[in-house]
Amino acid sequence: MASTHLKKHVVEEHYDVVKYCLMKTLEEGLPQGMWTKDMKGAWVEAYEALVLAIQVEGASQLRQQKYEAYAKK
């Protein structure tokens, strides 16, 4: 997933937009009363953990690409 994000030039602001859209979709799509503060908190926590994992892997891949480009010189 990280390599796709790198290729598509995903930036920090994109993650914020997706998080907002995901939260709104869940809030509006779930049956009334199901979307609680606790549920929202759990979804935000899970989404932010996923984003962090993608960003860490992306940074690692980018570092590797730069190293390989440097090593070819």
Side-chain angles (χ1 to χ4, degrees), residues 6-56:
L6 285 173
K7 289 176 192 170
K8 300 293 182 181
H9 306 286
V10 173
V11 296
E12 187 71 33
E13 292 80 14
H14 295 148
Y15 294 109
D16 294 336
V17 171
V18 171
K19 180 169 78 173
Y20 173 81
C21 292
L22 175 61
M23 295 307 128
K24 278 309 239 186
T25 298
L26 290 168
E27 179 181 8
E28 294 174 7
L30 288 170
Q32 190 170 3
M34 254 186 108
W35 188 245
T36 64
K37 279 185 181 181
D38 288 342
M39 183 180 274
K40 181 179 180 181
W43 272 98
V44 167
E45 186 178 330
Y47 178 78
E48 290 176 352
L50 174 63
V51 168
L52 180 59
I54 291 168
Q55 291 173 330
V56 167

